[in-house]
Amino acid sequence: MVRTISRAVQFWALVRTAFSNCSHSEAKTAEKENEIFRLIAENSNDVIICLGPGNVPTYVSPSATHVLGWDAKDLLAKGPESFVHPDDLGKLLEAQTIIESGTAERVRFTSRVIKPDGTIVWVEGSSKAYCSKSGKSKGAVLVVRDITERKALEDRLNAMALMDGLTGLFNRRAFDKTLEEELGPQDKELSLLLLDIDHFKAFNDCYGHQAGDDCLRQIGGILNSISAAQQGIAARIGGEEFAIILPKVDAAGSLSVAELVRTTIQRLRIPHDGNLECGGYVTASIGVSAIAHFARSGLGDAKRLVSGADSALYRAKHEGRNRVAGFIVPADDECSIVPELDRDAMRRTAKKGTLTPSK
């Protein structure tokens, strides 16, 4: 009997020792893991942020000072509304709500952070939930990195993709995109000018492509200047073909702008022996169309606006070039062209606003 009790005591002593050793081992393992985490967090170029319940930050790595411009202690004391750009705050909070609700285990986001000096840092982040052993959510870990330089490069590449390399104007892709966007609101005026340099192939044949490029650049500069003054958009949509989108400009105003463009190009007095019918200088023919002329349906409006300006441009060329023609669709939908413009009337219209066509 005594021997049995002794053996039982020995057994439980061994069990206690085993558990004690196990607990000691687990503690050492946890301590080692914490040290590894600290080394990673404090030496990483990325910012590591631990969020507790309610998205309250409990830890911010020291790299926050270098990357975000804020000290870790400042970020711990402030809410995200203090440093996240107002336009991006909603997206960030939505990402954290998704993590907290368990809808997704990981969410990626991009946002802007406002430094204490007011400058903007673009950051890319990943938020991942972490849970207790029972599976209950304990918060999230955010890993954030600076992508400002990458974002600037992307913006430059996107801008280049929308620009004409020769003239610096928008290209056809940007023109199509902008026209569709401007046609969105149903209650505003919108006009379109299509311009073609008269006998430009003959100009290239006579003077060479370098002179042709110089001519296109000069005309591009004129279109850019005039369209900007009218809060419009100028684009090169083909070899010698250009367009100007004029938001908030009605039919009469767009005719005045077109006449200003035409006369300004003529006054460059660039010699063009292949254009003797227009005085031996570079000139342009322009077609004008306004959205107010059409019964707007939304679908197909851009195509009809371009088609109207193109028809007017064809008429301007057919009647002798170096002129402006407008396209009108009456109420009965029978298309008609304005073959000749009353330039005195246009000047009177222009005087009512801020535009004065050159003679």
Side-chain angles (χ1 to χ4, degrees):
M1 180 69 178
V2 172
R3 184 178 297 176
T4 302
I5 294 172
S6 176
R7 286 178 179 175
V9 170
Q10 289 176 0
F11 171 76
W12 286 113
L14 288 171
V15 170
R16 192 163 52 249
T17 301
F19 272 96
S20 176
N21 290 338
C22 181
S23 298
H24 181 66
S25 175
E26 287 179 350
K28 289 187 70 174
T29 300
E31 184 180 347
K32 185 176 181 180
E33 288 177 349
N34 287 338
E35 178 64 16
I36 292 173
F37 172 79
R38 186 187 66 79
L39 287 171
I40 293 173
E42 294 186 2
N43 292 279
S44 173
N45 289 326
D46 296 342
V47 181
I48 299 173
I49 303 173
C50 295
L51 299 178
N55 294 325
V56 176
T58 58
Y59 173 82
V60 178
S61 64
S63 55
T65 304
H66 172 69
V67 176
L68 306 179
W70 292 89
D71 289 336
K73 61 181 181 180
D74 291 330
L75 295 181
L76 286 168
K78 296 176 181 291
E81 65 278 358
S82 300
F83 51 88
V84 176
H85 193 284
D87 293 343
D88 300 333
L89 183 60
K91 293 187 296 182
L92 182 62
L93 295 178
E94 182 182 2
Q96 290 310 114
T97 300
I98 292 172
I99 290 294
E100 232 182 351
S101 65
T103 306
E105 185 178 322
R106 184 188 298 272
V107 176
R108 298 186 182 277
F109 60 89
T110 302
S111 69
R112 287 160 290 181
V113 171
I114 305 173
K115 287 186 171 183
D117 63 3
T119 57
I120 299 292
V121 181
W122 276 96
V123 298
E124 177 183 72
S126 173
S127 180
K128 187 178 186 302
Y130 70 92
C131 303
S132 63
K133 291 182 179 179
S134 64
K136 184 179 179 181
S137 175
K138 295 181 66 178
V141 177
L142 274 67
V143 180
V144 177
R145 64 182 52 181
D146 184 354
I147 60 166
T148 304
E149 290 186 6
R150 190 184 86 191
K151 192 71 171 61
L153 177 60
E154 289 175 356
D155 290 344
R156 287 197 297 272
L157 291 175
N158 288 334
M160 288 170 62
L162 298 175
M163 301 299 289
D164 173 57
L166 179 64
T167 63
L169 301 178
F170 285 112
N171 59 18
R172 182 60 189 250
R173 178 184 175 190
F175 166 77
D176 291 338
K177 182 174 181 291
T178 302
L179 188 59
E180 289 290 351
E181 289 173 352
E182 292 294 341
L183 280 166
Q186 295 286 314
D187 59 347
K188 75 173 186 178
E189 299 281 0
L190 181 69
S191 297
L192 174 66
L193 277 58
L194 291 185
L195 177 151
D196 196 74
I197 302 174
D198 296 325
H199 299 299
F200 189 70
K201 183 180 183 302
F203 183 91
N204 272 336
D205 291 343
C206 183
Y207 301 99
H209 289 281
Q210 183 61 54
D213 288 350
D214 290 341
C215 176
L216 292 173
R217 275 191 285 265
Q218 289 187 69
I219 290 175
I222 289 171
L223 299 183
N224 186 54
S225 177
I226 292 176
S227 64
Q230 302 298 315
Q231 298 182 331
I233 298 295
R236 182 185 176 205
I237 59 175
E240 69 273 20
E241 298 172 304
F242 296 86
I244 297 180
I245 301 171
L246 295 172
K248 303 177 183 178
V249 177
D250 62 12
S254 62
L255 291 172
S256 296
V257 174
E259 180 65 6
L260 176 59
V261 169
R262 184 195 70 80
T263 55
T264 305
I265 291 172
Q266 186 176 28
R267 289 174 63 185
L268 288 174
R269 297 182 71 82
I270 300 174
H272 186 356
D273 288 344
N275 191 31
L276 295 177
E277 65 185 278
C278 297
Y281 296 102
V282 169
T283 58
S285 301
I286 306 174
V288 180
S289 180
I291 195 63
H293 297 155
F294 303 103
R296 300 183 65 170
S297 62
L299 186 64
D301 283 345
K303 184 177 180 180
R304 291 196 294 165
L305 189 64
V306 172
S307 178
D310 192 55
S311 296
L313 174 59
Y314 174 81
R315 184 59 177 266
K317 290 182 177 181
H318 180 73
E319 297 205 342
R321 303 178 188 270
N322 188 28
R323 65 189 62 224
V324 174
F327 185 86
I328 294 179
V329 178
D332 58 6
D333 272 347
E334 293 181 3
C335 300
S336 64
I337 299 293
V338 180
E340 293 292 340
L341 299 176
D342 183 345
R343 291 184 179 152
D344 289 335
M346 281 201 302
R347 292 189 185 97
R348 288 194 296 271
T349 301
K351 287 177 182 178
K352 295 178 182 179
T354 58
L355 184 65
T356 305
S358 303
K359 293 183 179 181

